[in-house]
Amino acid sequence: MTAAALRALHVPGRPVLLPNVWDADTARLVEEAGYPVVATSSVAVAAALGYPDGEQAPAGEMFAAAARIARAVSVPVTVDAESGYGLPAPEFVARLLDTGAVGCNLEDTDHALGRVRPIAEQADRLAAVRAAAGDALVINARIDLFLRAEDQRAVLPEAVERARAYLDAGADCVYPILVRSADVLAEFVKAVSPGAVNGNRLPDGTD
């Protein structure tokens, strides 16, 4: 499957649901359930490999797991690639494409420093990945501000600024992870329109 096929599923007003998987077996179950895309979860893949989340698992093992997942299904696969494992953009893109994946999440947390990267720095990283990938990857730029925010509305302006910068840098869509307020998410979506936005639904049913 191609990145174009994955992009075509991003239709305004018709959200595409992406259940997360962590190995080939769960990937097959998601495809058999009728979902048109398989998405990996970095925390789940790392845990299955015996490592904590946050780029603690070796990049080679994470890419190998992604390759097993991509081989197991016939639908597009998008990989939670954390922050890119510290790899230069051309190497990162080449190794990701070698797995058979056609999309990825790239978060703006710098795991080595334990902070969210400055906007311009992350935008430059995304632009470099886009330049290396061309149209072969769907890039979902994750925004991590809401993860630790006590007041989610307070970080909304910066989140919108980041989203616009990331989209301008070549991201196909943005992902403000763990927005728990439907109102805040609605304002975010409106502010970055017509950019595509990914959200998450938690096991307890909250969005």
Side-chain angles (χ1 to χ4, degrees):
M1 298 298 289
T2 64
L6 179 53
R7 284 192 187 93
L9 295 172
H10 291 71
V11 178
R14 196 173 70 197
V16 58
L17 300 179
L18 305 176
N20 282 182
V21 308
W22 54 90
D23 60 13
D25 194 38
T26 51
R28 292 188 191 99
L29 290 174
V30 166
E31 182 180 28
E32 289 169 5
Y35 291 96
V37 184
V38 164
T40 73
S41 160
S42 67
V43 61
V45 172
L49 295 172
Y51 300 95
D53 194 25
E55 298 195 341
Q56 298 301 300
E61 292 195 38
M62 296 295 280
F63 285 126
R68 290 191 292 272
I69 288 167
R71 286 197 303 268
V73 296
S74 60
V75 296
V77 172
T78 182
V79 171
D80 182 350
E82 302 186 81
S83 193
Y85 307 110
L87 299 172
E91 180 183 354
F92 168 77
V93 169
R95 294 180 70 175
L96 184 61
L97 290 176
D98 281 347
T99 70
V102 297
C104 66
N105 284 1
L106 281 174
E107 61 199 49
D108 53 11
T109 292
D110 184 330
H111 292 285
L113 298 178
R115 62 166 174 81
V116 176
R117 289 189 177 88
I119 296 173
E121 179 183 333
Q122 182 66 7
D124 286 346
R125 289 169 61 84
L126 291 166
V129 171
R130 172 55 70 210
D135 62 359
L137 278 179
V138 174
I139 301 173
N140 184 30
R142 200 179 91 175
I143 298 167
D144 287 355
L145 293 180
F146 296 102
L147 280 172
R148 304 170 188 85
E150 294 184 8
D151 182 348
Q152 296 212 328
R153 186 167 295 279
V155 301
L156 178 59
E158 183 182 341
V160 168
E161 183 183 1
R162 285 178 177 273
R164 290 171 175 166
Y166 299 170
L167 291 166
D168 287 345
D172 294 277
C173 39
V174 290
Y175 176 22
I177 189 172
L178 284 188
V179 177
R180 294 179 178 274
S181 164
D183 290 339
V184 170
L185 180 58
E187 290 182 36
F188 178 92
V189 171
K190 182 177 180 180
V192 304
S193 178
V197 176
N198 281 278
N200 54 271
R201 187 166 182 81
L202 303 176
D204 62 4
T206 58
D207 296 316

